[in-house]
Amino acid sequence: MIFFISGATSGFGLAMATRFLNNGNYVIATGRRIERLDELKFKFPKNIHTIKLDIRNREEVKSAIVNLPEEFKKIDVLINNAGMALGIDAAQKASLDDWEVMVDTNINGILNCTHYILPTMVERNNGHIVNLGSVAGEFPYPGGNVYGATKAFAHQFTLNLKADLLGTSIRVTSIEPGMCHTEFSEVRFRGDKEKADAVYSGMQALTADDIAETIDWVISRPSHVNINVISLMPTQQAFGAFATSRKN
Ligand code: NDP
Ligand code: 8X3
C-alpha cells in the first residue's frame, strides 16, 4: 500500500512511517524538518519518498501531490496526522497568533491535504483517510480552548466526509487519543522540556507505537468495515468532575 503521512518527523507520524515501511509498504513522509526526513530515508532507503512540506501552505501541498513520482501517485491511505497545541492559557489571556497557527495547522492543514488527495482516491474508487482528532475534541479542559475546538473539527469533518463518500469504497476514520508521550507537550510549552515531562510524570502515558498499531488495525479491517471513530486513553487518565465557582 502507499501511505501519505503528514508530520512524519516525530511522534505518531514517525512511528507510523517506521511501522508501515518495516511492513513493506510505500510511504510518502512529510514534515517541515527535512533533516529528520533525511534520517528516515537513510534508515529506509527503499519505498520512501520524503517531502519538506508545511501543510498550512496550499500551494506547497498542491505541488507536492502533483509532482509525486509515478510509483507513489496512487495513494491508498492519507493520514492527516500533523498537528499541534500552542500554549495552555485561558481564552481571555491566550495569544491570537497562537490560535491562528493552531487553526492553520490543525484545520487548514487537513483541508489542504484532503482536497488534493481525495479526488485521486475517488477516481480509483479506493482509499482510506485517517484524521487525528483527540479526546480534547470531545471533553473540554481549562486552556484547551482553540486546540480542543480544532480537534472537534477533525472529528466532525471525518463524519461529514463519510456522508459525502457514501456510494464509494473510500473509508474515513477519526482517531482520538488522550495523553501520549511524544514531542506534543514540548511544542505546546515552546521547548520547555521540564514542563513537558511533568505532564507525563508518574504515569504510563500512551506511546506513539500504541497509536501506530491502532491505525494499522483500523486500515487492515476488511474493505466492507469502516471504523468511524476510535477514542483511546491511558488507563491512568480519566475525565474530570464538573467544575463550580463558589461564593462561600
Ligand atoms: P509531535 O509534536 O511529536 O509531532 C507533530 C508532527 O506534526 C511533527 O512531525 C511536525 O513536523 C508536524 N507538523 C506540525 N506542524 C506542521 C506543519 N505546519 N506542516 C507540516 N507538519 C507539521 O506530536 P504528536 O505525534 O503527539 O501529534 C500528532 C497528532 O496527534 C497531532 O495532530 C496532535 O494534535 C494529535 N494528538 C496528540 C496527542 C498527544 O497526547 N501526543 C493526543 C491526541 C492527539 P515538523 O515540525 O517537522 O513540521
Ligand atoms: C492531546 C491530548 O489531553 O493533552 O490531544 O489535549 S490532550
Side-chain angles (χ1 to χ4, degrees), residues 85 133-136 141 147 151 177-180 184-185 188 199-200 237:
S134 165
V135 292
Y141 62 80
Y147 176 68
K151 292 302 177 181
M179 289 167 79
C180 184
F184 176 83
S185 291
R188 175 170 239 173
V199 173
Y200 312 104
Q237 185 182 18

Side-chain angles (χ1 to χ4, degrees), residues 110 131-134 137-138 149-161 173-174 176 228-229:
I110 288 188
N131 295 323
L132 259 297
S134 165
E138 187 177 7
T150 64
K151 292 302 177 181
F153 173 90
H155 171 94
Q156 198 61 21
F157 184 55
T158 305
L159 299 184
N160 279 328
L161 281 175
T173 305
S174 176
E176 305 180 358
N228 297 336
V229 178

Side-chain angles (χ1 to χ4, degrees), residues 7 9-10 12 32-33 54-55 81 133 147 151 178 180 182-183:
T9 58
S10 159
F12 303 172
R32 292 166 302 174
R33 287 170 288 181
D54 186 332
I55 55 165
N81 162 73
Y147 176 68
K151 292 302 177 181
C180 184
T182 59
E183 292 178 16

Side-chain angles (χ1 to χ4, degrees), residues 122-147:
V122 173
E123 206 175 297
R124 289 178 292 116
N125 197 27
N126 172 58
H128 197 147
I129 297 181
V130 178
N131 295 323
L132 259 297
S134 165
V135 292
E138 187 177 7
F139 305 103
Y141 62 80
N145 41 67
V146 167
Y147 176 68

Side-chain angles (χ1 to χ4, degrees), residues 8 10 18 34 56 61 64 68 73 82 125 141 143 152 180 199 201 203 212 214 219:
S10 159
T18 304
I34 187 69
R56 294 172 295 178
V61 175
L68 282 173
K73 273 197 191 305
N125 197 27
Y141 62 80
C180 184
V199 173
S201 90
M203 65 169 297
T214 303
I219 60 181

